[in-house]
């Protein structure tokens, strides 16, 4: 099969209005062969953290050459930059507001950062409130059609960009203290505690996970290994510690929100 | 025009999270020419009946060669099988939990059933909780790219698979007793009573349909043939008896739910 | 890159049910090369005004040759016509109920209007309640595959069609009186007052905008130019007067709805 470029779209535009479709029309006018993939358009209004999370979780599954266009842009029309970044053979176009932090922090894989300033690539008329349609979509389409990233504007360094630091879990008196970074549609509680961090602490069958006023003993393989409605701790499909309720919502049950604390301690031994 | 493979996706993953997009990235990495069509990602969490209903209503409209990937998978990570089934020239990939019942019950058209076990087709790392991304998406993509279904794993028979029996309407003292199988977005009440079953009972202008505490006399052609807010019975676009309110919700008006009873009786003659 | 036809879909079918996917299956069976773009499927049930608004805001961004298929069709199954219209090199297929008013009012660009009556283009079985799947999708696909619009049925004139007149703002004792035509997902209030109408009234820094019990002094460039939670008036990406709250909902704050009045007056000079 032939090569077809892929552009992904991640926005907070919702699914009812015309915004996403207008971007797609612009893209297909410039690069008609493109496969356009929606990552999500239901990012909470202006929630840059959530946009960055979705990007980080999905881009590794896309083919080399994919252009990711991420438009959560509360600063649209101000003097904030728009960035085009290349990393691991993929390109990322987004406002410079922290959205691309997962890409920009990973400096080993970073290939290029450019400010998007070349007006000849933009729509003829550029509005003050919709740079997704008037700047980022056409630039992404030109890149999909083969434009070299150097053509979009001047090169930048990481030091020129807004980078939100990663919140890491920490060890405090032999407890691992982490944070909830996402609640998904099922009410699964996704934490920043990784498999390798846990493995350093203790064998994973020998731990207790605390969230809200609940405690969970040991790690389980998957939802179906506990009874319906039961709370379990397991590693999610990105090797992060996740807390779930089989057939229910762990977030509702435990009253958790992004930012809440999750702790892991070694079970007291009775030998 | 050239041939382009089609993969459809039906899941309970919702539209806010990264799950669907990750599957699409995997598919386009393996089979970049594929047209990916979303059937629905708003199936209620773990609702296998609803997933099977959507599949049954849509697959007949897709071209030969289409791969339907259906991921409603509460048993992910347990020892449940994953199936690849061929019927009427189309292929269906889904966990073995009843989702493929409409395909597996239709034995006249069934061409092949295989267990999906060939690990060389899977993602390099297979998680315990996301086989949609790590097994079903790559297998569907390889099938779309031309892989013979025999390559996915050992052949099975219907007897090896979970098949949910179809709920048929029945005749009881000259009344037809059926069941509500779906409520759609408009509040239309879809039943398991078919045009031919009704025709066997009586001329369709000569019947009374009962739902909740409401009764409807005779069948109407379409919504626009009654006044706004009026209840009507008609044949839906799959020749099933449907109960609607023009410009409103029949489910809300009558307090109906999937599983509720609908009966049809002959009108008493006054000749 | 090669030419690939584009079909857009705008409906009130929602995202949970099988309706949209069935239309896509029909389209890909006839025209497998087509790129299908969803404009929106969340138009309120039977809301023709909203469908027309979305169409008007998006079609100018699509490439020549695009087929727009718009199915908000409360009169399905009655004797209402289905139209295929050509304008500015694009084609529009929709029931004749006012949906195509923005296209039909723009007579300078109108190239053709036809009634869709050629049954050889329809699905073999045509239901009474789903002409989107059985008539409009296959006709759109045949047009995408190269069929001349003349083949769909007899030519009509504007006088044969349902056209909803545009609501224009008006000047009354040196005030501009307009109307809210749309509330978007962010709660932005979109009005029918245009940049050029305002420019005729007064320099835009010298005006006061009234909505509900709120007044806004002067126009702002974009959201980021006021503080969080502050009300602003600006020109949207279609050069219409829009009222927003930075990081919030102007519709919620002011209690506005489509159809509510917005007025603009000159600020009293203190020279």
């Amino acid at each position: 099969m032939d090569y077809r470029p892929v552009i992904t779209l991640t926005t907070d535009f919702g699914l009812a209005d015309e915004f996403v479709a207008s971007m797609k029309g612009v893209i297909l006018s410039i690069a008609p062969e493109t496969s356009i993939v929606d990552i999500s358009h239901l990012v909470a209004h202006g929630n840059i953290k959530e946009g960055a999370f979705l990007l980080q979780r999905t881009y590794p599954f896309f083919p080399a050459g994919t252009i990711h266009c991420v438009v959560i842009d509360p600063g649209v029309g101000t003097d904030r930059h728009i960035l085009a970044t290349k990393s691991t053979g993929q390109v990322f176009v987004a406002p410079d507001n922290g959205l691309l932090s997962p890409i920009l922090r990973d400096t080993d894989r970073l290939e290029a950062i450019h400010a998007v300033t070349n007006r000849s690539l933009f729509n003829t008329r550029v509005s003050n409130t919709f740079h997704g349609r008037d700047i980022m979509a056409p630039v992404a389409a030109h890149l999909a059609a083969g434009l070299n990233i150097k053509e979009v504007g001047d090169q930048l360094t990481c030091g020129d960009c807004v980078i939100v630091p990663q919140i890491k879990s920490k060890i405090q008196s032999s407890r691992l203290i982490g944070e909830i970074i996402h609640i998904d549609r099922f009410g699964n509680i996704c934490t920043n505690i990784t498999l390798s961090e846990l493995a350093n602490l203790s064998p994973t069958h020998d731990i207790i996970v605390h969230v809200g006023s609940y405690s969970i003993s040991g790690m389980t393989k998957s939802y179906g290994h506990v009874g319906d409605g039961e709370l379990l701790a397991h590693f999610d499909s990105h090797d992060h510690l996740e807390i779930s309720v089989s057939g229910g919502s762990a977030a509702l049950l435990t009253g958790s929100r992004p930012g809440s604390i999750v702790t892991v301690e070694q079970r007291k031994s009775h030998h």
Side-chain angles (χ1 to χ4, degrees), chain A:
Chain A
M1 286 192 253
D2 290 330
Y3 169 78
R4 293 184 63 215
V6 177
I7 293 178
T8 79
L9 301 179
T10 306
T11 77
D12 59 356
F13 293 159
L15 295 164
D17 293 308
E18 78 274 16
F19 308 119
V20 175
S22 301
M23 289 180 67
K24 292 181 179 176
V26 168
I27 289 168
L28 293 173
S29 298
I30 293 166
E33 285 293 302
T34 307
S35 278
I36 304 175
V37 175
D38 300 305
I39 303 289
S40 174
H41 301 294
L42 299 181
V43 172
H45 188 181
N47 193 328
I48 289 159
K49 228 176 187 176
E50 200 183 326
F53 176 84
L54 286 173
L55 181 67
Q56 180 165 32
R57 290 243 152 171
T58 49
Y59 85 86
F61 295 96
F62 280 84
T66 297
I67 319 291
H68 300 278
C69 188
V70 192
V71 188
I72 296 144
D73 194 9
V76 60
T78 65
D79 58 2
R80 64 94 186 78
H81 280 133
I82 294 173
L83 303 178
T85 305
K86 195 167 181 183
S87 174
T88 66
Q90 303 189 47
V91 174
F92 303 84
V93 177
D96 181 24
N97 59 17
L99 271 177
L100 296 185
S101 300
I103 311 304
L104 295 170
R105 284 192 307 247
D106 195 357
T107 48
D108 286 356
R109 302 179 180 208
L110 208 54
E111 299 167 46
I113 314 172
H114 291 264
V116 173
T117 54
N118 179 350
R119 294 189 67 92
S120 74
L121 303 171
F122 303 174
N123 284 355
T124 316
R125 270 201 72 254
V126 173
S127 67
N128 291 322
T129 55
F130 196 1
H131 289 183
R133 182 192 69 193
D134 298 334
I135 299 179
M136 290 179 257
V139 165
H142 284 293
L143 290 165
L147 185 83
N148 192 307
I149 194 173
K150 291 175 184 169
E151 304 296 322
V152 308
D154 287 342
Q155 199 164 346
L156 300 176
T157 66
C158 281
D160 303 317
C161 303
V162 177
I163 303 180
V164 180
Q166 197 170 11
I167 302 154
K168 293 266 192 191
S169 68
K170 53 189 175 207
I171 292 191
Q172 213 164 46
S173 52
S174 85
R175 292 173 141 216
L176 197 50
I177 300 176
E179 189 177 309
I180 296 175
I181 54 174
H182 187 71
I183 308 278
D184 74 16
R185 171 219 191 183
F186 300 111
N188 293 316
I189 295 170
C190 176
T191 74
N192 65 344
I193 298 172
T194 64
L195 171 58
S196 58
E197 288 167 351
L198 260 182
N200 284 341
L201 183 75
S202 180
T204 58
H205 60 272
D206 221 35
I207 58 166
I208 298 175
V209 177
H210 301 279
V211 56
S213 59
Y214 290 80
S215 299
I216 306 158
S217 284
M219 301 292 290
T220 301
K221 195 182 161 202
S222 186
Y223 318 111
H225 291 278
V226 301
D228 225 45
E230 231 174 281
L231 202 60
L232 68 147
H234 61 100
F235 293 108
D236 72 9
S237 68
H238 293 260
D239 282 343
H240 278 238
L241 172 67
E242 185 171 282
I243 298 155
S244 302
V245 165
S246 181
S249 167
L252 274 181
L253 178 67
T254 64
S256 300
R257 292 162 164 277
S260 306
I261 295 302
V262 170
T263 59
V264 183
E265 59 174 348
Q266 279 185 282
R267 204 192 305 242
K268 285 195 182 61
S269 169
H270 300 282
H271 298 288

